[in-house]
Amino acid sequence: MSKMTTFVPLTKLRPFKDNWRIQVKCLHSWKQNTPFAGDTFEMVLADQWGNKIHATSKRSLMQRIQRVFPIDSWGVIEHVTVTPAGGQYRTTNYKYKMVIAEDAVLSRSDLADDRIFLSLANYEEIENGTKRPAFHVIGRIHELGDVQTVQVSGEDRKRVQFRLVDAEGNNLACCLWGTYAEQLEPFTGKDQTIICLIRFAKIKEFRGELQITNAFDASRLFLNAMIPEVTHLTEKLSNDDLSVGLVQKPSLYNRNDAEIKTISEAAEATQVEICKIICTIEAIDTDWSWFYIGCNRHQKRVNKIPNVDYGRMTKKDKPLFRCEHCRSNINTVGSKFKLHLVVKDDSATCNLMLLGSVGKSIVAVDAEELWDGSYEEIEDPEILPEPILSLVGKSFCFGISIMLDNVTNGSDTFVVLEVCSGDKVLTIETGSQSNSDMVTTSSTMSSRSAMMLDQISSDECPTPITKRKEDDYDLQDLTSSSKKQCIKIIKQEKTKND
């Protein structure tokens, strides 16, 4: 029996057994901190058959493991267990992850195998959202911006943005943070070809566009690396004439580039994009509250703390809430707009959601001024603040984001990025809550869109529809198809009765 057959392939591992003997290569390792597991040491391992598995251990075992398993080296592990893999970000497709405990036996291996077990994702997989677990992507860097220092959660972080271009000229937005951005600093401002390979990357959606980004410290970045498995592709990507054939795609939201669509055209979209729709507000959807309680620092929803009687408190009492972004209990919270509107044009009806300063731009009043300060469940959802109720019947041009959930799951709720009204364009700056959010400029709408806006009738003013509780509503899942059934379109009969 050969030496290779004495080891168990990773695909044979099953829970509730620990007598495995496996030979694996460490493809990557990093330290991680999670709210539930605390400090851990994470690894991605591969066997000689090319199977991959995510491995985890306590931080206290890190030095012991690293001595035997430095990155890109082979070793042997005995007496490990496996458990089901979970979580939104997964480094492999395998349904199990390995747990290395104190009783695991680790030893070096004399196997000589320089393969890096690279399975590259194509750009189409990334764009249509089918590449969900961590993936590997390669491309030529195009439109490399400067490395900037930005404030994130009150801390300075470095960030760099660019586009990755494949051999066919397809391109994707990319944003790298922290030490990954620092690796690109020597290349900024220079006219040279940079071939970028990102291992264990993830997808993020920002302002209606998918971006490739690093997964905290779990990614690996290679710049102009001469890796045998990608040498041919690297030579092809290095062709000086490649940039001529770039497939042009929209980057961040630009009101001048956004196409004007009807609601039915937006609903039938087959790709993630941004566009404008010109429509009339038919109703305020009171299946959802018009505001949420959020952290003043991060503008994200906060959670109630168990055993606290919020019904007897007001904002003057400054009760504590749990902010997962601050990772602490805080009392610096306030009301933030979360408007759900039912809108229509001549083609169809849909739902729009306006958050934070975008909501303020259309109401023209701070949410704090309209909030009564009570944390009690709203008794009568039909009673809305007058500035919100007065929106019904008015016509606007909305810049909206058509997201993956709209394209793949048929969600009829669109997130609004910008609000336009006639020749007044209200540009929303992220995180801004001041009156400077409202910027009057010359008209950016075409004559066709202006004519459409003039033709929209504002006579119908139906009543809002009924309220649904939203205690479990999560702002990070704003367009989930699981919420689709919660959005109720106002019926025509009700309009006639009004």
Side-chain angles (χ1 to χ4, degrees):
M1 184 178 292
S2 65
K3 186 174 182 179
M4 180 176 292
T5 59
T6 62
F7 299 107
V8 178
L10 291 174
T11 53
K12 298 292 186 181
L13 302 185
R14 295 293 184 270
F16 311 116
K17 293 185 179 181
D18 62 358
N19 58 340
W20 311 110
R21 187 168 187 264
I22 54 178
Q23 182 172 243
V24 288
K25 183 176 186 176
C26 178
L27 302 180
H28 189 32
S29 64
W30 67 96
K31 295 178 289 185
Q32 184 168 294
N33 181 276
T34 60
F36 302 106
D39 292 342
T40 60
F41 181 60
E42 309 294 319
M43 306 172 70
V44 179
L45 307 174
D47 62 18
Q48 57 264 52
W49 295 278
N51 305 307
K52 303 183 186 73
I53 193 170
H54 186 111
T56 184
S57 71
K58 294 181 179 179
R59 183 76 69 89
S60 58
L61 298 176
M62 181 178 70
Q63 292 185 349
R64 175 189 166 197
I65 296 173
Q66 284 182 319
R67 282 196 296 268
V68 178
F69 281 98
I71 294 178
D72 296 327
S73 68
W74 289 88
V76 177
I77 307 179
E78 299 179 69
H79 304 301
V80 295
T81 59
V82 294
T83 61
Q88 183 177 7
Y89 175 77
R90 294 170 58 180
T91 55
T92 73
N93 287 310
Y94 195 40
K95 61 182 178 180
Y96 298 118
K97 69 177 179 179
M98 181 187 299
V99 179
I100 303 175
E102 287 85 349
D103 59 348
V105 179
L106 311 175
S107 59
R108 297 179 182 273
S109 170
D110 58 0
L111 179 63
D113 188 341
D114 293 331
R115 290 179 297 164
I116 61 174
F117 304 103
L118 186 65
S119 301
L120 291 172
N122 65 57
Y123 284 33
E124 183 178 353
E125 287 179 306
I126 299 172
E127 282 188 298
N128 62 27
T130 59
K131 209 66 182 174
R132 272 312 180 195
F135 56 88
H136 315 296
V137 62
I138 191 172
R140 176 177 176 176
I141 290 182
H142 183 66
E143 297 179 357
L144 177 63
D146 294 331
V147 177
Q148 300 175 325
T149 300
V150 297
Q151 281 273 322
V152 179
S153 301
E155 298 180 359
D156 288 341
R157 292 188 63 192
K158 290 190 175 181
R159 179 189 70 184
V160 66
Q161 294 176 300
F162 54 91
R163 302 196 77 84
L164 273 184
V165 185
D166 68 7
E168 284 71 43
N170 300 305
N171 62 99
L172 292 168
C174 189
C175 179
L176 299 181
W177 295 84
T179 57
Y180 301 97
E182 292 174 356
Q183 292 184 54
L184 281 165
E185 279 189 297
F187 297 93
T188 57
K190 297 181 180 179
D191 184 16
Q192 65 181 105
T193 298
I194 311 168
I195 306 302
C196 175
L197 168 63
I198 307 175
R199 302 204 66 180
F200 312 109
K202 72 173 185 178
I203 302 172
K204 181 179 180 181
E205 194 165 352
F206 178 69
R207 292 186 179 179
E209 182 181 41
L210 292 180
Q211 285 187 339
I212 300 170
T213 186
N214 56 287
F216 303 101
D217 295 326
S219 302
R220 293 188 72 182
L221 176 65
F222 300 86
L223 301 174
N224 292 338
M226 296 306 296
I227 299 174
E229 290 173 285
V230 294
T231 300
H232 173 71
L233 185 57
T234 300
E235 292 174 353
K236 192 174 181 181
L237 286 167
S238 299
N239 183 353
D240 290 335
D241 296 328
L242 177 64
S243 59
V244 177
L246 288 180
V247 177
Q248 295 299 320
K249 298 180 183 179
S251 56
L252 299 182
Y253 179 63
N254 186 320
R255 73 174 70 91
N256 296 315
D257 296 334
E259 179 185 358
I260 296 176
K261 294 180 180 286
T262 64
I263 291 178
S264 62
E265 288 173 335
E268 295 169 1
T270 58
Q271 64 181 10
V272 172
E273 59 180 310
I274 53 178
C275 70
K276 295 176 185 176
I277 59 172
I278 299 175
C279 53
T280 299
I281 299 176
E282 188 178 19
I284 310 299
D285 188 347
T286 53
D287 275 11
W288 309 101
S289 174
W290 63 268
F291 69 93
Y292 67 95
I293 302 300
C295 171
N296 290 338
R297 179 180 175 187
H298 299 106
Q299 306 300 311
K300 299 295 185 181
R301 185 183 181 91
V302 293
N303 299 317
K304 292 181 178 180
I305 298 174
N307 303 321
V308 176
D309 187 4
Y310 291 95
R312 296 179 177 273
M313 295 185 178
T314 67
K315 59 183 177 182
K316 294 181 179 180
D317 298 313
K318 295 186 176 181
L320 290 175
F321 289 82
R322 179 68 183 180
C323 177
E324 296 302 332
H325 292 266
C326 296
R327 295 185 179 180
S328 62
N329 296 336
I330 62 171
N331 60 10
T332 53
V333 301
S335 59
K336 320 294 177 187
F337 277 116
K338 183 172 65 64
L339 300 176
H340 287 260
L341 309 179
V342 181
V343 300
K344 69 174 183 178
D345 63 9
D346 291 337
S347 68
T349 302
C350 73
N351 299 275
L352 300 181
M353 181 166 57
L354 294 78
L355 297 170
S357 57
V358 183
K360 176 188 172 183
S361 71
I362 194 173
V363 180
V365 179
D366 277 324
E368 285 281 328
E369 294 182 31
L370 303 180
W371 178 42
D372 62 5
S374 173
Y375 301 102
E376 192 83 65
E377 179 73 22
I378 298 176
E379 294 182 4
D380 188 352
E382 301 290 336
I383 300 177
L384 291 169
E386 181 57 33
I388 296 177
L389 193 58
S390 65
L391 296 174
V392 177
K394 293 183 179 179
S395 301
F396 294 90
C397 176
F398 294 100
I400 65 171
S401 170
I402 301 176
M403 297 185 178
L404 277 175
D405 200 43
N406 305 114
V407 175
T408 59
N409 299 322
S411 172
D412 61 356
T413 298
F414 300 93
V415 176
V416 175
L417 304 176
E418 184 182 60
V419 183
C420 316
S421 178
D423 62 351
K424 292 185 178 181
V425 180
L426 310 178
T427 303
I428 312 307
E429 297 294 335
T430 302
S432 174
Q433 297 292 328
S434 67
N435 291 332
S436 62
D437 287 338
M438 302 183 183
V439 181
T440 302
T441 68
S442 60
S443 175
T444 59
M445 295 195 298
S446 65
S447 57
R448 170 177 174 266
S449 64
M451 291 175 62
M452 290 174 63
L453 184 58
D454 290 338
Q455 293 170 358
I456 295 175
S457 172
S458 301
D459 296 334
E460 295 181 331
C461 298
T463 58
I465 47 189
T466 57
K467 161 84 174 166
R468 176 177 290 108
K469 291 182 180 180
E470 57 157 352
D471 290 345
D472 298 326
Y473 187 75
D474 185 355
L475 278 178
Q476 297 183 15
D477 190 20
L478 296 176
T479 59
S480 171
S481 59
S482 64
K483 304 295 188 295
K484 182 180 176 182
Q485 66 272 22
C486 297
I487 303 299
K488 191 190 324 179
I489 303 301
I490 187 167
K491 295 182 179 179
Q492 186 65 27
E493 301 87 75
K494 188 171 183 180
T495 303
K496 291 180 179 179
N497 291 337
D498 288 350

